[in-house]
């Protein structure tokens, strides 16, 4: 019985493939539209896309063009070709701004840009573009059913930019370019005042200032020690029980001893 079942399944698949190839090679646009729609509804986006690509120009200005244009863009999206999908979704919204699918198309266009955003360690041009697209969507559809998801995507992308900026500042500290590290952390804290990385940023800024002060020549050391102690106070005021408390206290004591020595000499 199982053997018969498998034969039937294989026969159906072969017939389906045969129908697809036959329709693909035909000149019947209506047949391609109908089969493409069936394949689209069944989630067979690759085959549907191949059919839609052939007939899209032929349906311009016709009643079916709106549906076809959306399905064509959605196929690209489902196949992971987000650059092309976003382009076609934007085109759909421009042509059919009053369509019941316009909101979904605008969201999927923006979400396509989100998927093109690289990891935080790389250049973040696409991330900035994705945030801009999502914000534009939120402004255009403030009561959208996709509101919560769009805001969540923006938050995730924003954190990627924060992480990028934070890691650059931290890297300066690791390579002992302490002045650049302090400046970068200052910029980071100004640009992202509500960041979840604030405690770490305050500590590593203090760490960079501590190292800069300790390694300075005597003529520069006193002021740099005072600057470093100021950064220590910023950390402790904001986070009295910081996870970096032990290291911070050790560094503060060493800075204070150095300052006392300098004061005694003068």
């Amino acid at each position: 019985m199982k053997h018969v079942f498998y034969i039937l399944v294989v026969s159906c698949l072969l017939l389906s493939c045969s129908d697809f190839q036959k329709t693909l090679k035909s000149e019947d646009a209506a047949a391609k539209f109908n089969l493409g729609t069936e394949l689209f509804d069944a989630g067979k986006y690759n085959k549907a896309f191949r059919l839609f690509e052939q007939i899209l120009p032929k349906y311009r200005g016709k009643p079916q063009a709106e549906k076809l244009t959306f399905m064509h863009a959605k196929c690209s999206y489902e196949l992971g070709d987000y650059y092309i999908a976003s382009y076609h979704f934007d085109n759909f919204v421009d042509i059919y701004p009053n369509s019941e699918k316009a909101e979904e198309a605008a969201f999927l266009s923006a979400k396509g840009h989100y998927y093109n955003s690289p990891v935080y360690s790389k250049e973040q041009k696409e991330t900035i573009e994705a945030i801009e697209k999502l914000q534009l969507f939120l402004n255009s559809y403030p009561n959208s059913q996709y509101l919560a998801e769009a805001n969540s995507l923006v938050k995730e992308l924003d954190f990627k930019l924060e992480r990028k900026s934070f890691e650059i500042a931290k890297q300066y500290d690791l390579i002992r370019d302490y002045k650049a590290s302090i400046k970068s952390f200052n910029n980071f804290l100004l640009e992202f005042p509500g960041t979840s990385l604030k405690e770490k940023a305050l500590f590593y800024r203090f760490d960079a200032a501590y190292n800069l002060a300790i390694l300075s020549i005597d003529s520069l050391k006193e002021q740099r020690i005072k600057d470093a102690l100021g950064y220590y106070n910023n950390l402790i005021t904001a986070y009295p029980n910081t996870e970096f408390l032990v290291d911070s206290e050790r560094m503060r004591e060493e800075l204070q001893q150095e300052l006392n020595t300098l004061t005694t000499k003068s």
Side-chain angles (χ1 to χ4, degrees):
M1 191 68 182
K2 286 184 178 180
H3 184 65
V4 174
F5 174 75
Y6 288 137
I7 291 175
L8 289 172
V9 169
V10 171
S11 297
C12 289
L13 289 173
L14 290 173
L15 183 62
S16 175
C17 290
S18 176
D19 287 343
F20 171 73
Q21 291 297 335
K22 181 180 178 181
T23 305
L24 188 67
K25 294 175 182 178
S26 78
E27 297 297 324
D28 190 341
K32 292 182 180 183
F33 179 89
N34 292 333
L35 181 57
T37 301
E38 290 179 17
L39 292 168
F40 178 87
D41 292 338
K44 297 178 180 179
Y45 300 109
N46 188 44
K47 288 184 176 180
F49 181 79
R50 292 176 66 188
L51 291 169
F52 294 153
E53 276 280 276
Q54 291 186 348
I55 62 174
L56 194 62
K58 298 178 181 179
Y59 274 87
R60 288 199 180 108
K62 295 183 179 181
Q64 302 96 326
E66 180 181 331
K67 180 178 181 180
L68 178 60
T69 303
F70 180 85
M71 290 192 297
H72 176 255
K74 186 72 178 295
C75 283
S76 292
Y77 179 86
E78 294 294 345
L79 292 170
D81 194 349
Y82 300 116
Y83 284 110
I84 296 299
S86 293
Y87 170 80
H88 287 305
F89 278 131
D90 286 342
N91 187 49
F92 177 87
V93 174
D94 288 340
I95 299 173
Y96 307 105
N98 298 318
S99 170
E100 64 178 16
K101 289 289 189 179
E103 179 183 329
E104 182 181 357
F107 175 67
L108 292 178
S109 172
K111 194 171 181 180
H113 284 275
Y114 159 82
Y115 282 125
N116 286 327
S117 170
V119 296
Y120 77 88
S121 57
K122 294 186 176 181
E123 171 62 42
Q124 293 300 301
K125 178 183 176 183
E126 287 88 351
T127 301
I128 295 170
E129 289 176 352
I131 292 172
E132 291 174 349
K133 289 289 291 186
L134 284 162
Q135 290 290 0
L136 180 61
F137 169 78
L138 289 167
N139 292 338
S140 300
Y141 301 92
N143 300 312
S144 173
Q145 61 179 311
Y146 306 108
L147 183 67
E149 185 177 359
N151 278 319
S152 177
L153 296 179
V154 170
K155 185 176 180 180
E156 183 180 337
L157 293 169
D158 277 337
F159 182 73
K160 193 177 289 187
L161 295 181
E162 290 179 24
R163 182 77 184 276
K164 173 77 172 181
S165 181
F166 174 85
E167 292 297 339
I168 288 173
K170 187 177 177 182
Q171 185 62 28
Y172 280 129
D173 190 28
L174 291 174
I175 64 174
R176 301 183 180 184
D177 190 347
Y178 301 121
K179 288 183 181 179
S181 181
I182 294 167
K183 182 178 180 180
S184 294
F185 276 123
N186 284 336
N187 291 336
F188 171 80
L189 291 165
L190 284 172
E191 187 175 358
F192 306 105
T195 178
S196 60
L197 297 170
K198 184 176 180 179
E199 181 180 356
K200 288 182 171 63
L202 289 172
F203 171 73
Y204 285 112
R205 181 178 66 173
F206 170 47
D207 181 69
Y210 158 82
N211 284 301
L212 180 63
I214 292 298
L215 297 173
S216 293
I217 60 175
D218 286 351
S219 61
L220 298 175
K221 185 172 286 190
E222 182 175 352
Q223 184 57 53
R224 287 179 175 176
I225 288 175
K226 291 178 179 178
D227 292 340
L229 289 172
Y231 291 137
Y232 163 84
N233 288 331
N234 293 151
L235 170 64
I236 296 303
T237 299
Y239 301 95
N241 299 311
T242 177
E243 62 177 296
F244 305 105
L245 188 61
V246 173
D247 286 338
S248 296
E249 285 300 322
R250 173 185 57 76
M251 291 153 64
R252 181 196 64 79
E253 290 176 5
E254 187 174 345
L255 288 169
Q256 192 61 57
Q257 290 174 2
E258 285 284 328
L259 185 59
N260 292 341
T261 300
L262 289 172
T263 304
T264 301
K265 285 182 179 180
S266 60

